[in-house]
Amino acid sequence: MPPHLSAEHPSAQPPARGSVDALITQARQLKGDVDAVRRDAPADGSDPQERWQRALYDLALHQLSALDDHLAQLRDGPEPLPEAPADRTVPTAPRDGSLLSRVGSAEWNLLTDKASWSGELYEILGRDPAEDPLTLDELPSLVLDEDRPRLTAMVTDCLIDAKPIDGEFRVLRPDGDVRTVHMMGEPVLDADGSTASMWAVLRDVSELRRSQRTVSETQDSLQRHRHHAQSERRLAVELQEAVLPPWRGSLRLAHQGAEALDLAAHYLPSSTSALIGGDWFDALELSDGDTLLSVGDLTGHGVTVTSGMAMLLGALRGMAVAGTQPGQLMTWLNQLLDASVQPALAGAVCCRYRPETRTLTWAQAGHPAPLLFRDGTGRVLNPPDGVLLGATSGAVYGQAEETLEPGDTLLLHTEGLVPGLREGTTAAHRLLELAPRFSEARTAQECVRAVVEEFGETEREDDACVLIARVAP
Protein backbone atom coordinates (compact mmCIF):
# COMPACT_ATOMS: atom_id res chain seq x y z
CA MET A 1 0.00 0.00 0.00
CA PRO A 2 1.44 3.40 -0.88
CA PRO A 3 2.27 5.96 1.80
CA HIS A 4 -0.35 8.57 2.38
CA LEU A 5 1.62 11.78 2.19
CA SER A 6 -0.83 14.66 2.08
CA ALA A 7 -2.42 14.80 5.52
CA GLU A 8 -4.52 17.87 6.24
CA HIS A 9 -3.73 19.71 9.44
CA PRO A 10 -6.39 21.88 11.11
CA SER A 11 -5.38 25.54 11.20
CA ALA A 12 -4.25 26.59 14.64
CA GLN A 13 -6.40 29.35 16.16
CA PRO A 14 -4.62 32.46 17.47
CA PRO A 15 -4.52 32.63 21.27
CA ALA A 16 -7.22 34.46 23.27
CA ARG A 17 -9.57 34.75 20.29
CA GLY A 18 -12.53 35.39 22.57
CA SER A 19 -10.70 38.25 24.30
CA VAL A 20 -9.90 39.88 20.95
CA ASP A 21 -13.55 39.52 19.86
CA ALA A 22 -14.56 41.31 23.06
CA LEU A 23 -12.10 44.13 22.31
CA ILE A 24 -13.51 44.46 18.79
CA THR A 25 -17.03 44.76 20.20
CA GLN A 26 -15.91 47.41 22.70
CA ALA A 27 -14.05 49.37 20.00
CA ARG A 28 -17.15 49.40 17.76
CA GLN A 29 -19.38 50.49 20.65
CA LEU A 30 -16.97 53.30 21.47
CA LYS A 31 -16.86 54.31 17.81
CA GLY A 32 -20.66 54.52 17.77
CA ASP A 33 -20.68 56.65 20.95
CA VAL A 34 -18.06 59.05 19.55
CA ASP A 35 -19.96 59.34 16.29
CA ALA A 36 -23.16 60.16 18.16
CA VAL A 37 -21.44 62.93 20.14
CA ARG A 38 -19.83 64.25 16.96
CA ARG A 39 -23.20 64.53 15.21
CA ASP A 40 -24.56 66.58 18.15
CA ALA A 41 -21.58 68.97 18.12
CA PRO A 42 -21.96 72.41 16.44
CA ALA A 43 -20.83 72.34 12.83
CA ASP A 44 -21.06 75.95 11.63
CA GLY A 45 -17.27 76.37 11.82
CA SER A 46 -17.39 79.88 13.31
CA ASP A 47 -15.78 79.01 16.65
CA PRO A 48 -12.13 77.78 16.56
CA GLN A 49 -12.74 75.75 19.73
CA GLU A 50 -15.67 73.99 18.08
CA ARG A 51 -13.62 73.29 14.96
CA TRP A 52 -10.87 71.85 17.16
CA GLN A 53 -13.35 69.59 18.97
CA ARG A 54 -14.96 68.41 15.73
CA ALA A 55 -11.51 67.70 14.29
CA LEU A 56 -10.67 65.58 17.31
CA TYR A 57 -13.95 63.69 16.90
CA ASP A 58 -13.05 63.01 13.26
CA LEU A 59 -9.55 61.93 14.25
CA ALA A 60 -10.93 59.65 16.98
CA LEU A 61 -13.33 58.00 14.52
CA HIS A 62 -10.50 57.60 12.02
CA GLN A 63 -8.29 55.89 14.61
CA LEU A 64 -11.08 53.71 16.00
CA SER A 65 -11.76 52.44 12.48
CA ALA A 66 -8.08 51.62 12.13
CA LEU A 67 -8.14 49.96 15.57
CA ASP A 68 -11.08 47.81 14.44
CA ASP A 69 -9.07 46.69 11.40
CA HIS A 70 -5.96 45.95 13.50
CA LEU A 71 -7.93 43.92 16.05
CA ALA A 72 -9.57 41.90 13.28
CA GLN A 73 -6.13 41.18 11.85
CA LEU A 74 -4.89 40.17 15.31
CA ARG A 75 -7.88 37.86 15.74
CA ASP A 76 -7.59 36.17 12.36
CA GLY A 77 -3.81 36.22 12.17
CA PRO A 78 -1.68 34.68 9.42
CA GLU A 79 -1.95 30.94 8.52
CA PRO A 80 0.13 28.59 10.82
CA LEU A 81 3.65 27.22 9.80
CA PRO A 82 5.57 23.77 10.54
CA GLU A 83 8.26 26.38 12.04
CA ALA A 84 8.03 30.15 12.93
CA PRO A 85 10.86 32.33 11.54
CA ALA A 86 13.41 33.27 14.19
CA ASP A 87 13.84 36.89 13.06
CA ARG A 88 10.34 38.15 13.79
CA THR A 89 10.49 41.75 15.06
CA VAL A 90 8.25 42.95 17.88
CA PRO A 91 7.22 46.61 17.53
CA THR A 92 8.43 48.83 20.34
CA ALA A 93 6.24 51.25 22.24
CA PRO A 94 5.80 54.80 20.93
CA ARG A 95 8.61 57.08 22.00
CA ASP A 96 6.75 60.38 22.18
CA GLY A 97 4.37 59.77 25.05
CA SER A 98 0.61 59.64 25.02
CA LEU A 99 -1.78 60.12 22.12
CA LEU A 100 -2.66 63.67 23.12
CA SER A 101 0.97 64.74 23.38
CA ARG A 102 1.36 63.86 19.69
CA VAL A 103 -1.67 65.80 18.39
CA GLY A 104 -1.35 69.48 17.49
CA SER A 105 -3.42 72.06 15.69
CA ALA A 106 -2.80 74.95 13.31
CA GLU A 107 -4.70 77.70 11.50
CA TRP A 108 -3.50 79.73 8.54
CA ASN A 109 -5.29 83.04 7.88
CA LEU A 110 -5.20 83.75 4.16
CA LEU A 111 -6.34 87.39 4.59
CA THR A 112 -3.52 88.35 6.97
CA ASP A 113 -1.01 85.70 5.87
CA LYS A 114 -0.48 84.80 9.50
CA ALA A 115 -0.40 81.37 11.13
CA SER A 116 -1.06 80.12 14.64
CA TRP A 117 0.22 76.78 15.98
CA SER A 118 -0.47 74.92 19.19
CA GLY A 119 2.44 74.07 21.43
CA GLU A 120 2.01 70.38 20.59
CA LEU A 121 2.57 71.08 16.91
CA TYR A 122 5.87 72.81 17.66
CA GLU A 123 6.87 69.64 19.56
CA ILE A 124 5.81 67.33 16.72
CA LEU A 125 7.75 69.27 14.11
CA GLY A 126 10.75 69.86 16.39
CA ARG A 127 10.44 73.63 16.17
CA ASP A 128 11.34 76.19 18.83
CA PRO A 129 8.08 77.61 20.30
CA ALA A 130 9.79 81.02 20.39
CA GLU A 131 9.90 81.07 16.60
CA ASP A 132 7.06 82.23 14.42
CA PRO A 133 4.89 79.46 12.97
CA LEU A 134 5.49 78.68 9.32
CA THR A 135 3.10 79.98 6.69
CA LEU A 136 1.54 77.67 4.14
CA ASP A 137 4.21 78.71 1.67
CA GLU A 138 6.96 77.90 4.19
CA LEU A 139 5.52 74.62 5.50
CA PRO A 140 6.80 72.49 2.56
CA SER A 141 10.38 73.37 3.56
CA LEU A 142 10.04 70.84 6.42
CA VAL A 143 8.71 68.09 4.17
CA LEU A 144 10.81 65.45 2.39
CA ASP A 145 11.24 66.18 -1.31
CA GLU A 146 9.26 63.15 -2.47
CA ASP A 147 6.29 64.08 -0.22
CA ARG A 148 6.05 67.79 -1.10
CA PRO A 149 3.79 67.26 -4.15
CA ARG A 150 1.32 65.39 -1.95
CA LEU A 151 1.17 68.19 0.62
CA THR A 152 0.92 70.84 -2.09
CA ALA A 153 -1.96 68.99 -3.77
CA MET A 154 -3.87 68.62 -0.48
CA VAL A 155 -3.50 72.31 0.41
CA THR A 156 -4.40 73.44 -3.12
CA ASP A 157 -7.53 71.27 -3.20
CA CYS A 158 -8.55 72.67 0.18
CA LEU A 159 -8.01 76.34 -0.68
CA ILE A 160 -9.36 76.31 -4.24
CA ASP A 161 -11.99 73.56 -4.25
CA ALA A 162 -12.87 73.65 -0.51
CA LYS A 163 -12.03 69.95 -0.16
CA PRO A 164 -11.24 68.53 3.30
CA ILE A 165 -7.63 67.57 3.98
CA ASP A 166 -6.93 64.00 5.02
CA GLY A 167 -3.44 62.72 4.20
CA GLU A 168 0.09 62.08 5.38
CA PHE A 169 3.57 63.34 4.66
CA ARG A 170 7.02 63.01 6.22
CA VAL A 171 8.91 65.87 7.81
CA LEU A 172 12.61 66.23 8.60
CA ARG A 173 13.06 67.72 12.05
CA PRO A 174 16.07 69.89 12.89
CA ASP A 175 17.47 67.04 15.01
CA GLY A 176 17.62 64.87 11.86
CA ASP A 177 14.70 62.65 12.87
CA VAL A 178 12.15 61.88 10.15
CA ARG A 179 8.57 61.78 11.38
CA THR A 180 5.32 60.85 9.63
CA VAL A 181 2.49 63.35 10.16
CA HIS A 182 -1.19 62.74 9.49
CA MET A 183 -3.04 65.96 8.66
CA MET A 184 -6.83 66.51 8.77
CA GLY A 185 -8.36 69.91 8.08
CA GLU A 186 -10.96 72.06 6.36
CA PRO A 187 -11.23 75.51 4.78
CA VAL A 188 -13.07 78.30 6.67
CA LEU A 189 -15.23 80.36 4.31
CA ASP A 190 -16.12 84.04 4.70
CA ALA A 191 -19.50 85.61 4.01
CA ASP A 192 -19.06 85.67 0.22
CA GLY A 193 -18.06 82.01 0.09
CA SER A 194 -14.35 82.52 -0.50
CA THR A 195 -11.73 80.80 1.61
CA ALA A 196 -10.67 83.01 4.52
CA SER A 197 -8.47 80.53 6.39
CA MET A 198 -7.52 76.91 6.73
CA TRP A 199 -7.31 74.97 9.94
CA ALA A 200 -5.88 71.51 10.56
CA VAL A 201 -5.20 68.89 13.17
CA LEU A 202 -1.82 67.16 12.81
CA ARG A 203 -0.84 63.94 14.49
CA ASP A 204 2.55 62.26 14.67
CA VAL A 205 1.84 58.72 13.41
CA SER A 206 5.48 57.67 12.97
CA GLU A 207 5.40 54.80 15.45
CA LEU A 208 2.03 53.58 14.19
CA ARG A 209 3.28 53.49 10.61
CA ARG A 210 6.52 51.83 11.68
CA SER A 211 4.51 49.13 13.49
CA GLN A 212 2.33 48.66 10.42
CA ARG A 213 5.42 48.30 8.24
CA THR A 214 6.78 45.73 10.68
CA VAL A 215 3.52 43.77 10.50
CA SER A 216 3.56 43.96 6.70
CA GLU A 217 7.21 42.90 6.50
CA THR A 218 6.57 40.06 8.94
CA GLN A 219 3.61 38.89 6.86
CA ASP A 220 5.77 39.02 3.74
CA SER A 221 8.43 37.01 5.56
CA LEU A 222 5.79 34.49 6.66
CA GLN A 223 4.54 34.20 3.09
CA ARG A 224 8.07 33.56 1.82
CA HIS A 225 8.72 31.07 4.62
CA ARG A 226 5.40 29.33 3.89
CA HIS A 227 6.18 29.14 0.17
CA HIS A 228 9.65 27.75 0.93
CA ALA A 229 8.20 25.17 3.34
CA GLN A 230 5.56 24.12 0.80
CA SER A 231 8.19 23.76 -1.92
CA GLU A 232 10.45 21.76 0.38
CA ARG A 233 7.61 19.48 1.42
CA ARG A 234 6.59 18.93 -2.20
CA LEU A 235 10.17 17.98 -3.11
CA ALA A 236 10.44 15.67 -0.09
CA VAL A 237 7.15 13.99 -1.01
CA GLU A 238 8.31 13.48 -4.59
CA LEU A 239 11.59 11.97 -3.40
CA GLN A 240 9.78 9.66 -1.01
CA GLU A 241 7.23 8.56 -3.58
CA ALA A 242 10.02 7.90 -6.09
CA VAL A 243 11.91 5.65 -3.67
CA LEU A 244 9.32 3.71 -1.65
CA PRO A 245 7.48 0.80 -3.29
CA PRO A 246 4.42 2.02 -5.27
CA TRP A 247 2.12 -0.64 -3.87
CA ARG A 248 -1.63 -0.74 -4.40
CA GLY A 249 -2.85 -3.28 -1.88
CA SER A 250 -1.18 -6.59 -1.09
CA LEU A 251 1.71 -7.78 -3.24
CA ARG A 252 2.85 -11.30 -4.06
CA LEU A 253 6.34 -11.36 -5.51
CA ALA A 254 6.23 -12.71 -9.02
CA HIS A 255 8.77 -15.53 -9.08
CA GLN A 256 8.09 -17.21 -5.73
CA GLY A 257 6.33 -20.49 -5.40
CA ALA A 258 4.17 -22.04 -2.74
CA GLU A 259 6.08 -20.36 0.10
CA ALA A 260 5.60 -16.86 -1.32
CA LEU A 261 5.20 -13.89 1.02
CA ASP A 262 2.01 -11.87 1.04
CA LEU A 263 3.17 -8.26 1.63
CA ALA A 264 1.49 -5.00 2.59
CA ALA A 265 2.68 -1.75 4.14
CA HIS A 266 1.44 1.66 5.23
CA TYR A 267 3.04 5.03 5.92
CA LEU A 268 1.56 7.17 8.72
CA PRO A 269 2.53 10.87 8.55
CA SER A 270 3.04 13.06 11.58
CA SER A 271 -0.05 14.94 12.72
CA THR A 272 1.99 17.76 14.31
CA SER A 273 4.56 18.53 11.61
CA ALA A 274 4.20 19.42 7.95
CA LEU A 275 7.71 18.16 7.20
CA ILE A 276 8.40 14.69 5.82
CA GLY A 277 10.60 12.41 7.90
CA GLY A 278 13.17 9.81 6.91
CA ASP A 279 11.12 6.64 7.54
CA TRP A 280 11.09 3.92 4.91
CA PHE A 281 9.82 0.42 4.20
CA ASP A 282 10.95 -1.84 1.38
CA ALA A 283 10.50 -5.26 -0.15
CA LEU A 284 12.56 -6.51 -3.08
CA GLU A 285 12.69 -9.87 -4.84
CA LEU A 286 16.35 -10.83 -5.40
CA SER A 287 17.79 -12.72 -8.32
CA ASP A 288 18.40 -15.91 -6.28
CA GLY A 289 14.72 -16.04 -5.25
CA ASP A 290 15.24 -14.57 -1.80
CA THR A 291 13.19 -11.59 -0.61
CA LEU A 292 14.72 -8.48 0.98
CA LEU A 293 12.58 -6.84 3.68
CA SER A 294 13.62 -3.66 5.47
CA VAL A 295 12.31 -0.75 7.50
CA GLY A 296 14.26 2.17 8.88
CA ASP A 297 14.27 5.73 10.06
CA LEU A 298 16.86 8.42 9.37
CA THR A 299 16.60 11.04 12.12
CA GLY A 300 15.25 14.48 11.23
CA HIS A 301 12.81 15.95 8.71
CA GLY A 302 12.88 17.72 5.38
CA VAL A 303 14.47 17.38 1.97
CA THR A 304 17.99 16.70 3.28
CA VAL A 305 16.75 13.83 5.43
CA THR A 306 14.56 12.41 2.67
CA SER A 307 17.46 12.49 0.20
CA GLY A 308 19.68 10.81 2.81
CA MET A 309 17.03 8.12 3.27
CA ALA A 310 16.97 7.60 -0.49
CA MET A 311 20.76 7.20 -0.50
CA LEU A 312 20.65 4.60 2.30
CA LEU A 313 17.83 2.65 0.71
CA GLY A 314 19.56 2.65 -2.66
CA ALA A 315 22.78 1.38 -1.10
CA LEU A 316 20.88 -1.26 0.86
CA ARG A 317 19.19 -2.57 -2.27
CA GLY A 318 22.41 -2.58 -4.26
CA MET A 319 24.34 -4.53 -1.66
CA ALA A 320 21.46 -6.99 -1.18
CA VAL A 321 21.29 -7.63 -4.94
CA ALA A 322 25.04 -8.32 -4.84
CA GLY A 323 24.40 -11.08 -2.26
CA THR A 324 25.49 -9.28 0.92
CA GLN A 325 24.02 -10.83 4.06
CA PRO A 326 22.12 -8.60 6.55
CA GLY A 327 24.85 -8.38 9.21
CA GLN A 328 27.58 -7.35 6.75
CA LEU A 329 25.12 -5.10 4.97
CA MET A 330 24.49 -3.16 8.20
CA THR A 331 28.23 -2.82 8.78
CA TRP A 332 28.76 -1.25 5.37
CA LEU A 333 25.72 1.01 5.74
CA ASN A 334 27.21 2.28 8.98
CA GLN A 335 30.49 3.05 7.20
CA LEU A 336 28.58 4.85 4.45
CA LEU A 337 26.66 7.01 6.90
CA ASP A 338 29.73 7.66 9.02
CA ALA A 339 31.61 8.94 5.95
CA SER A 340 28.79 11.13 4.62
CA VAL A 341 29.19 14.91 4.63
CA GLN A 342 25.94 15.43 6.53
CA PRO A 343 26.16 13.72 9.96
CA ALA A 344 23.07 11.66 10.72
CA LEU A 345 21.81 8.69 12.68
CA ALA A 346 19.53 5.93 11.44
CA GLY A 347 17.83 2.90 12.88
CA ALA A 348 17.06 -0.03 10.61
CA VAL A 349 16.05 -3.67 10.35
CA CYS A 350 17.11 -5.73 7.35
CA CYS A 351 15.76 -9.23 6.68
CA ARG A 352 16.53 -11.78 3.96
CA TYR A 353 13.88 -14.46 3.50
CA ARG A 354 14.61 -17.73 1.66
CA PRO A 355 11.28 -19.29 0.58
CA GLU A 356 12.63 -22.82 -0.06
CA THR A 357 13.58 -23.27 3.60
CA ARG A 358 11.36 -20.51 5.03
CA THR A 359 14.49 -19.13 6.69
CA LEU A 360 14.57 -15.52 7.84
CA THR A 361 18.07 -14.07 8.33
CA TRP A 362 18.08 -10.60 9.84
CA ALA A 363 20.10 -7.86 11.48
CA GLN A 364 19.20 -4.63 13.24
CA ALA A 365 20.79 -1.26 13.99
CA GLY A 366 19.32 0.26 17.15
CA HIS A 367 15.81 -0.46 15.90
CA PRO A 368 12.70 -2.27 17.19
CA ALA A 369 12.96 -5.97 16.45
CA PRO A 370 10.41 -7.71 14.19
CA LEU A 371 7.34 -9.27 15.80
CA LEU A 372 6.36 -12.83 14.86
CA PHE A 373 2.69 -13.89 15.12
CA ARG A 374 1.80 -17.58 15.07
CA ASP A 375 -1.31 -19.55 16.07
CA GLY A 376 -3.04 -16.54 17.69
CA THR A 377 -0.08 -15.34 19.78
CA GLY A 378 2.92 -13.13 19.10
CA ARG A 379 6.45 -12.57 20.34
CA VAL A 380 9.40 -10.28 19.77
CA LEU A 381 12.33 -11.87 17.94
CA ASN A 382 15.55 -11.88 19.95
CA PRO A 383 17.69 -9.11 18.41
CA PRO A 384 21.34 -9.59 17.48
CA ASP A 385 23.85 -6.89 18.47
CA GLY A 386 23.69 -3.62 16.56
CA VAL A 387 23.94 0.11 17.34
CA LEU A 388 22.40 2.99 15.42
CA LEU A 389 23.89 3.55 11.98
CA GLY A 390 26.28 6.50 12.11
CA ALA A 391 26.66 6.35 15.89
CA THR A 392 30.21 5.01 15.95
CA SER A 393 32.93 4.15 13.46
CA GLY A 394 33.85 0.52 12.95
CA ALA A 395 30.70 -0.93 14.49
CA VAL A 396 30.09 -4.64 13.83
CA TYR A 397 26.56 -5.98 13.48
CA GLY A 398 25.35 -9.43 14.44
CA GLN A 399 22.95 -11.63 12.54
CA ALA A 400 20.13 -13.93 13.62
CA GLU A 401 18.02 -16.63 11.95
CA GLU A 402 14.43 -17.67 12.40
CA THR A 403 12.55 -20.49 10.66
CA LEU A 404 9.05 -19.44 9.72
CA GLU A 405 6.03 -21.68 9.30
CA PRO A 406 3.08 -21.59 6.91
CA GLY A 407 0.59 -18.99 8.10
CA ASP A 408 3.15 -16.99 10.11
CA THR A 409 2.86 -13.20 10.14
CA LEU A 410 5.91 -10.96 10.47
CA LEU A 411 5.52 -7.29 11.49
CA LEU A 412 8.30 -4.76 10.96
CA HIS A 413 7.81 -1.14 12.03
CA THR A 414 9.62 2.11 12.76
CA GLU A 415 9.65 4.11 15.99
CA GLY A 416 6.52 6.10 16.68
CA LEU A 417 4.04 3.63 15.20
CA VAL A 418 2.32 3.42 18.61
CA PRO A 419 1.97 6.98 19.99
CA GLY A 420 0.84 8.01 23.46
CA LEU A 421 2.31 5.07 25.34
CA ARG A 422 1.53 4.92 29.04
CA GLU A 423 4.34 4.47 31.54
CA GLY A 424 5.39 0.83 31.75
CA THR A 425 3.88 -0.03 28.34
CA THR A 426 5.99 -0.64 25.24
CA ALA A 427 5.09 -0.42 21.57
CA ALA A 428 5.79 -4.13 21.20
CA HIS A 429 3.34 -4.93 24.02
CA ARG A 430 0.56 -2.91 22.33
CA LEU A 431 1.27 -4.43 18.92
CA LEU A 432 1.29 -7.98 20.30
CA GLU A 433 -2.25 -7.37 21.57
CA LEU A 434 -3.31 -7.48 17.91
CA ALA A 435 -2.51 -11.20 17.71
CA PRO A 436 -6.17 -12.33 17.76
CA ARG A 437 -7.06 -9.98 14.92
CA PHE A 438 -4.03 -11.11 12.91
CA SER A 439 -5.11 -14.73 13.43
CA GLU A 440 -8.50 -13.96 11.89
CA ALA A 441 -7.02 -11.94 9.01
CA ARG A 442 -6.84 -13.61 5.60
CA THR A 443 -4.24 -11.30 4.03
CA ALA A 444 -1.34 -9.02 4.93
CA GLN A 445 -3.49 -6.09 3.89
CA GLU A 446 -6.11 -6.98 6.51
CA CYS A 447 -3.34 -7.03 9.13
CA VAL A 448 -2.17 -3.58 8.06
CA ARG A 449 -5.75 -2.36 8.26
CA ALA A 450 -5.96 -3.62 11.84
CA VAL A 451 -2.80 -1.68 12.78
CA VAL A 452 -4.06 1.52 11.16
CA GLU A 453 -7.50 1.21 12.79
CA GLU A 454 -5.86 0.77 16.19
CA PHE A 455 -3.11 3.40 16.00
CA GLY A 456 -3.60 5.45 12.84
CA GLU A 457 -6.10 7.97 14.21
CA THR A 458 -4.04 8.86 17.28
CA GLU A 459 -2.12 12.14 17.10
CA ARG A 460 1.56 11.41 16.50
CA GLU A 461 4.61 13.66 16.72
CA ASP A 462 6.66 11.75 14.14
CA ASP A 463 6.17 9.78 10.94
CA ALA A 464 6.02 5.99 11.15
CA CYS A 465 5.52 3.01 8.88
CA VAL A 466 4.60 -0.65 9.19
CA LEU A 467 5.44 -3.60 6.91
CA ILE A 468 3.53 -6.91 7.15
CA ALA A 469 4.77 -10.17 5.60
CA ARG A 470 2.67 -13.35 5.74
CA VAL A 471 3.89 -16.79 4.77
CA ALA A 472 1.39 -18.54 2.56
CA PRO A 473 -0.47 -21.23 4.56
Side-chain angles (χ1 to χ4, degrees):
M1 183 174 181
H4 180 67
L5 300 173
S6 57
E8 294 289 336
H9 301 287
S11 297
Q13 295 293 336
R17 184 185 180 99
S19 300
V20 177
D21 284 333
L23 287 174
I24 291 175
T25 300
Q26 292 174 12
R28 291 175 179 174
Q29 290 174 345
L30 179 58
K31 181 180 175 183
D33 294 341
V34 173
D35 190 38
V37 174
R38 174 184 175 278
R39 288 196 300 269
D40 292 338
D44 58 9
S46 59
D47 186 346
Q49 179 66 26
E50 292 174 357
R51 293 201 302 270
W52 165 251
Q53 289 177 348
R54 191 171 69 255
L56 282 181
Y57 290 142
D58 291 340
L59 181 61
L61 289 172
H62 183 86
Q63 299 304 325
L64 285 170
S65 296
L67 177 61
D68 191 3
D69 293 339
H70 298 331
L71 288 172
Q73 185 180 31
L74 177 63
R75 176 193 61 195
D76 299 335
E79 296 177 14
L81 286 183
E83 299 176 3
D87 59 350
R88 179 178 296 181
T89 305
V90 178
T92 57
R95 296 177 292 178
D96 290 338
S98 69
L99 172 66
L100 292 179
S101 70
R102 292 184 285 119
V103 178
S105 64
E107 185 164 3
W108 289 273
N109 191 312
L110 303 182
L111 303 179
T112 63
D113 199 27
K114 289 185 178 180
S116 60
W117 286 7
S118 68
E120 290 86 357
L121 184 55
Y122 278 98
E123 181 181 347
I124 290 172
L125 301 180
R127 304 280 294 177
D128 185 351
E131 298 179 354
D132 290 335
L134 299 181
T135 66
L136 282 178
D137 292 334
E138 295 170 329
L139 184 62
S141 65
L142 301 179
V143 180
L144 296 187
D145 292 344
E146 54 266 38
D147 290 356
R148 284 177 188 167
R150 185 183 309 134
L151 174 62
T152 301
M154 289 192 299
V155 172
T156 301
D157 289 343
C158 180
L159 298 181
I160 296 178
D161 299 327
K163 292 182 178 180
I165 290 177
D166 186 354
E168 294 181 5
F169 50 87
R170 291 167 297 166
V171 298
L172 178 63
R173 292 164 38 127
D175 60 7
D177 192 15
V178 175
R179 309 299 289 173
T180 301
V181 177
H182 180 226
M183 184 176 183
M184 297 179 66
E186 292 181 355
V188 179
L189 306 180
D190 59 14
D192 63 2
S194 60
T195 303
S197 63
M198 189 187 84
W199 62 268
V201 173
L202 297 95
R203 182 187 175 199
D204 182 352
V205 293
S206 304
E207 301 304 329
L208 175 61
R209 297 298 175 253
R210 188 188 66 82
S211 298
Q212 290 174 333
R213 286 194 300 273
T214 299
V215 170
S216 178
E217 291 167 359
T218 301
Q219 287 179 329
D220 290 343
S221 176
L222 287 171
Q223 289 287 356
R224 291 192 298 271
H225 185 84
R226 185 178 298 114
H227 178 73
H228 176 77
Q230 289 171 345
S231 299
E232 181 173 302
R233 175 180 172 82
R234 184 165 53 251
L235 178 57
V237 167
E238 291 172 354
L239 276 171
Q240 193 180 55
E241 289 180 333
V243 171
L244 299 186
W247 292 352
R248 304 294 176 190
S250 298
L251 174 72
R252 285 184 181 272
L253 298 176
H255 300 101
Q256 293 189 355
E259 306 301 332
L261 291 177
D262 177 22
L263 300 167
H266 190 75
Y267 190 99
L268 295 96
S270 167
S271 55
T272 61
S273 173
L275 297 177
I276 298 298
D279 292 63
W280 82 79
F281 61 84
D282 194 31
L284 179 67
E285 188 173 13
L286 304 175
S287 58
D288 61 0
D290 289 0
T291 300
L292 173 71
L293 304 174
S294 71
V295 296
D297 178 13
L298 187 65
T299 56
H301 298 84
V303 174
T304 301
V305 171
T306 308
S307 59
M309 177 270 288
M311 176 196 71
L312 278 180
L313 188 52
L316 188 153
R317 289 170 173 172
M319 288 186 283
V321 167
T324 306
Q325 292 298 305
Q328 183 62 54
L329 191 152
M330 287 294 188
T331 300
W332 286 346
L333 280 182
N334 181 67
Q335 293 178 8
L336 176 63
L337 202 57
D338 184 55
S340 64
V341 176
Q342 189 76 23
L345 296 173
V349 166
C350 177
C351 307
R352 193 176 183 112
Y353 176 70
R354 175 150 294 181
E356 292 86 352
T357 60
R358 296 194 298 273
T359 302
L360 184 77
T361 305
W362 68 285
Q364 63 86 27
H367 200 78
L371 307 181
L372 178 60
F373 296 84
R374 178 182 294 165
D375 298 330
T377 62
R379 63 182 176 90
V380 181
L381 298 186
N382 294 324
D385 293 336
V387 299
L388 284 171
L389 300 173
T392 180
S393 300
V396 176
Y397 294 81
Q399 190 169 282
E401 285 191 0
E402 188 78 25
T403 300
L404 304 185
E405 297 181 3
D408 281 355
T409 298
L410 193 69
L411 185 152
L412 283 68
H413 69 96
T414 59
E415 295 279 5
L417 177 62
V418 183
L421 289 171
R422 298 187 302 272
E423 185 176 355
T425 303
T426 65
H429 176 76
R430 293 294 312 281
L431 289 167
L432 290 174
E433 292 176 349
L434 296 176
R437 296 185 64 178
F438 283 6
S439 179
E440 296 173 358
R442 294 169 297 177
T443 64
Q445 183 59 48
E446 290 183 8
C447 293
V448 165
R449 189 175 300 117
V451 173
V452 174
E453 288 173 356
E454 187 69 24
F455 306 113
E457 298 301 322
T458 307
E459 187 172 285
R460 64 185 65 254
E461 295 182 359
D462 202 359
D463 299 4
C465 59
V466 57
L467 171 63
I468 300 286
R470 284 173 61 95
V471 180

